[in-house]
Amino acid sequence: MSTRSSTALFLFLITISTFPSMLKSTVQVKYSRDPVRRTEGQPLTLKCTAEYEEENCGNIRVSWCLTSQELTDPDRYLIHINETKIGGNRHRDAFITFTQLTVNSTGFYQCKAVCQHTGTTAIGHVISVNVTGDANKGLKTLNRSDRHSVDVFLLAISVFILL
Ligand SMILES: *[C@@H]1O[C@H](CO)[C@@H](O)[C@H](O)[C@H]1NC(C)=O
Ligand SMILES: *[C@@H]1O[C@H](CO)[C@@H](O)[C@H](O)[C@H]1NC(C)=O
Ligand SMILES: *[C@@H]1O[C@H](CO)[C@@H](O)[C@H](O)[C@H]1NC(C)=O
Ligand SMILES: *[C@@H]1O[C@H](CO)[C@@H](O)[C@H](O)[C@H]1NC(C)=O
């Protein structure tokens, strides 16, 4: 093999061995694609995992968004963050818990991670959250006297059926 072709082979090998790491980005976000269905008042927590290289990314900011708007209102969302170092990478989990899930919580949510060093941003796919009204809500909020009248009404129905 001539020196020239072995040099070319050498460069080729370097190229294919570095290619996968070139494809891997500084920061990426991962979370479920499954659409979420809930009834109002039920609990809901969404989890997003941001994987980033501390060296290139620096500190990171991970947030959940609704139509590009970051969700920060502490009365409506509880945010929990934790992080684990895995080799030279870090995995940061961002959990968002809805304090009160209402029909208005319905929408398309996505997670975003921003490197504070470089501004490099990873924006995930949108997931659909569909919250429907609670059909039993009316009955649940009945007060004692109302409930009593419902009981009497049901009693009347059962007497009627027995007859
Ligand atoms: C964060 O905490 C949760 C619950 O304790 C755990 O399951 C998860 O692995 C943690 N994530 C990271 C990135 O440390
Ligand atoms: C939903 O949003 C509308 C308009 O912003 C508001 O008038 C209504 O009270 C909200 N409903 C609930 C259940 O939060
Ligand atoms: C939410 O689910 C209900 C019941 O299945 C459906 O009728 C409605 O179209 C859905 N809404 C959205 C915004 O996906
Ligand atoms: C509870 O009952 C009282 C009187 O019986 C009534 O005025 C009031 O509106 C009721 N409250 C609800 C939430 O239905």
Side-chain angles (χ1 to χ4, degrees):
M1 210 190 279
S2 74
T3 316
R4 180 176 253 168
S5 67
S6 63
T7 305
L9 178 66
F10 180 62
L11 288 176
F12 175 69
L13 285 176
I14 286 187
T15 308
I16 57 170
S17 64
T18 55
F19 196 55
S21 62
M22 282 160 59
L23 277 181
K24 210 178 82 191
S25 51
T26 311
V27 58
Q28 52 186 329
V29 287
K30 294 180 176 175
Y31 48 98
S32 168
R33 286 185 180 274
D34 298 341
V36 176
R37 287 182 168 281
R38 288 287 189 280
T39 302
E40 59 184 353
Q42 286 185 332
L44 176 61
T45 297
L46 302 175
K47 175 192 175 186
C48 169
T49 304
E51 300 182 5
Y52 67 104
E53 298 166 4
E54 194 181 7
E55 194 185 324
N56 297 323
C57 199
N59 198 7
I60 199 176
R61 181 179 165 77
V62 185
S63 49
W64 276 96
C65 304
L66 174 60
T67 49
S68 306
Q69 204 75 33
E70 272 187 36
L71 303 175
T72 52
D73 184 350
D75 290 336
R76 299 177 64 188
Y77 311 103
L78 300 176
I79 312 287
H80 175 77
I81 305 277
N82 62 351
E83 191 172 81
T84 301
K85 191 170 180 169
I86 298 170
N89 282 1
R90 282 174 179 267
H91 290 188
R92 180 174 298 196
D93 284 343
F95 299 87
I96 185 167
T97 299
F98 293 72
T99 54
Q100 183 149 37
L101 202 63
T102 69
V103 174
N104 281 3
S105 312
T106 297
F108 295 100
Y109 292 77
Q110 65 190 149
C111 177
K112 182 176 84 172
V114 183
C115 294
Q116 303 293 289
H117 263 183
T118 56
T120 305
T121 302
I123 300 179
H125 52 271
V126 292
I127 58 169
S128 152
V129 172
N130 184 344
V131 182
T132 46
D134 185 353
N136 296 322
K137 197 179 177 184
L139 278 176
K140 276 183 196 156
T141 56
L142 285 181
N143 62 28
R144 190 174 283 260
S145 61
D146 290 330
R147 192 164 289 149
H148 181 67
S149 62
V150 168
D151 289 344
V152 170
F153 177 65
L154 289 176
L155 184 68
I157 288 182
S158 29
V159 168
F160 178 73
I161 289 171
L162 281 175
L163 291 173

